Amino acid sequence: MCVVDWQGDREGIREPVSEHLKALVCADLWKEWHGYRVRQSHMYLREEWGVSDDERLKLHHAIGCKLSSRKLRYMYNRLRAFYMLQSVLEPSPLDGRSHAIPGRIFASIYQEWIRCYGNGDDNDPASLVVDFGHFLAHPVQVMPKGPTTISGILHAHCSRCAKAYELPPDSFSLPFSTSSHSLLALYRALVVIVDKIWEPLQGYQRESDGLESMHNFALNQTVIIACTGANTGLSALISLESLKKESFPLEASLPDDDTALGGNEVTRVSLATAVQFITSLEKRENLANPNFRDEKGVILHDDRLDPSLPREYEGDPQDRHRADSWTDDVLILAEKYGYYNVFDTRHSLERV
């Protein structure tokens, strides 16, 4: 966050700053805007996927509608709900009472997601599609008294989506806004169910650096993909026909029959295949609805991640939502108050 420090120059620091140094600061601030969003994104993801389930959506009942407006808003801007069965969860190391999602699940989803976009250069934060609201997977914890069949989860999911879709605009409060958050059609159309964890007989494969291979885990970990039949708002119907060649025996821990499923398609595939399939659907919808994406193809814009401007700034508050305008505004303040008296430029000078 950009804050004007009125305590003046620190010892050993001299103004004015050279033009060469100003150019370096300008480039650094642009990179820092993206870096700040990456850090904020990771913070939100840790809250939702971490060892505590306090900030995680839970499915207590088959009807699936007993959620506050605040919790329902967590469904906005998400591409897919990943329903986690009790058999997948682990006791939290924090208190033993909460339920933790195995770290391999999130790590492999994240890595495969970045792999699908082909833009995972950690040295260039601007190249990462990191919007928290845009992240492919949204965990929902199925509680012991929750649905016990695939059709039950589908019914509960559709019920929750209907209630979330009907939320009035005035029910939104910070950090949410109706201009940047919406219940996406893709979220309503498909669900992913994680019902078991793959455990190799001879240990997990490791990369050359000694770390576990999350790609290998994603190739062997399987999930259930199920269509809900809710295709409103999509550019075309969704079919799982293309996944048949890569499917595994269903062997569902949630027994169901064709009558209960009502003709909805269901299949079991590897986690890697599921991520690729969902990402391909997102790209398809982006092409069909160009107004739904920004210049990087990100669905909407999660403004919770953007760094703020100082109170003294009198320009357009929307400037903080773009890297170039935020950088320009911070530099204007630095020229007025001194590069070492503005928080962001002072720390930028320390970095460059």
Side-chain angles (χ1 to χ4, degrees):
M1 182 174 64
C2 180
V3 177
V4 176
D5 181 356
W6 296 104
Q7 296 180 356
D9 296 347
R10 297 182 303 162
E11 182 179 356
I13 294 179
R14 301 175 181 176
E15 295 274 8
V17 175
S18 68
E19 293 301 319
H20 173 68
L21 206 50
K22 288 180 180 180
L24 294 178
V25 168
C26 179
D28 178 75
L29 286 176
W30 185 87
K31 185 176 180 179
E32 175 59 17
W33 185 90
H34 292 282
Y36 182 89
R37 288 176 56 81
V38 171
R39 295 191 295 273
Q40 289 294 104
S41 172
H42 289 175
M43 180 189 72
Y44 285 123
L45 287 172
R46 281 194 299 271
E47 289 180 356
E48 192 168 59
W49 288 87
V51 295
S52 172
D53 59 12
D54 292 341
E55 294 300 320
R56 193 178 303 146
L57 279 187
K58 300 179 179 67
L59 187 54
H60 292 274
H61 308 280
I63 296 178
C65 279
K66 294 188 177 181
L67 280 178
S68 65
S69 296
R70 184 179 68 87
K71 286 289 188 179
L72 285 171
R73 286 194 295 266
Y74 289 176
M75 299 161 61
Y76 278 58
N77 280 31
R78 311 307 175 87
L79 292 179
R80 189 69 54 245
F82 274 56
Y83 285 87
M84 304 287 175
L85 300 193
Q86 288 290 306
S87 56
V88 172
L89 305 174
E90 303 172 342
S92 171
L94 294 180
D95 54 18
R97 174 185 56 81
S98 301
H99 296 86
I101 298 173
R104 294 184 183 93
I105 292 291
F106 169 73
S108 56
I109 292 173
Y110 187 88
Q111 187 176 97
E112 293 303 308
W113 180 58
I114 294 297
R115 184 189 300 273
C116 286
Y117 276 97
N119 59 357
D121 183 2
D122 290 329
N123 295 318
D124 181 11
S127 73
L128 295 172
V129 182
V130 299
D131 273 334
F132 172 66
H134 167 264
F135 184 57
L136 177 137
H138 167 226
V140 180
Q141 183 173 321
V142 180
M143 303 302 287
K145 294 184 179 181
T148 57
T149 62
I150 296 174
S151 59
I153 289 180
L154 291 178
H155 177 71
H157 179 78
C158 292
S159 178
R160 282 186 167 184
C161 286
K163 188 171 182 180
Y165 184 77
E166 294 170 357
L167 284 178
D170 58 5
S171 70
F172 280 76
S173 59
L174 293 176
F176 297 93
S177 67
T178 53
S179 62
S180 61
H181 289 76
S182 174
L183 186 66
L184 302 181
L186 278 175
Y187 186 89
R188 300 193 299 265
L190 280 179
V191 301
V192 177
I193 302 171
V194 185
D195 62 335
K196 57 184 178 180
I197 296 294
W198 174 69
E199 296 183 358
L201 297 177
Q202 299 181 346
Y204 292 96
Q205 180 176 316
R206 296 187 177 275
E207 303 285 4
S208 58
D209 57 7
L211 298 177
E212 291 182 14
S213 171
M214 291 298 98
H215 181 55
N216 179 257
F217 178 84
L219 291 173
N220 289 278
Q221 170 67 37
T222 64
V223 298
I224 298 171
I225 298 182
C227 293
T228 67
N231 294 299
T232 303
L234 295 174
S235 63
L237 298 180
I238 294 177
S239 172
L240 305 184
E241 185 68 26
S242 62
L243 300 179
K244 283 189 174 181
K245 293 182 180 179
E246 302 179 66
S247 64
F248 294 84
L250 191 57
E251 296 177 357
S253 55
L254 297 167
D256 233 325
D257 55 43
D258 293 339
T259 302
L261 289 171
N264 290 325
E265 291 185 272
V266 178
T267 189
R268 181 185 291 276
V269 295
S270 72
L271 180 58
T273 298
V275 172
Q276 293 166 10
F277 180 70
I278 296 169
T279 304
S280 68
L281 290 176
E282 180 201 9
K283 292 179 179 179
R284 183 195 77 178
E285 293 305 306
N286 280 343
L287 290 174
N289 303 283
N291 293 331
F292 233 51
R293 59 177 181 169
D294 65 12
E295 67 277 7
K296 286 184 63 59
V298 178
I299 295 179
L300 301 176
H301 179 87
D302 197 340
D303 49 19
R304 294 174 299 168
L305 306 181
D306 299 334
S308 61
L309 287 162
R311 288 174 299 176
E312 290 77 12
Y313 176 69
E314 298 177 352
D316 185 355
Q318 297 300 314
D319 282 359
R320 74 183 188 92
H321 302 317
R322 301 182 301 275
D324 52 353
S325 57
W326 179 84
T327 299
D328 291 343
D329 294 342
V330 172
L331 291 175
I332 290 173
L333 289 170
E335 291 290 342
K336 182 176 181 179
Y337 299 112
Y339 275 70
Y340 293 96
N341 292 329
V342 175
F343 178 87
D344 287 286
T345 49
R346 182 172 72 239
H347 285 276
S348 177
L349 285 167
E350 294 173 352
R351 290 191 296 268
V352 300

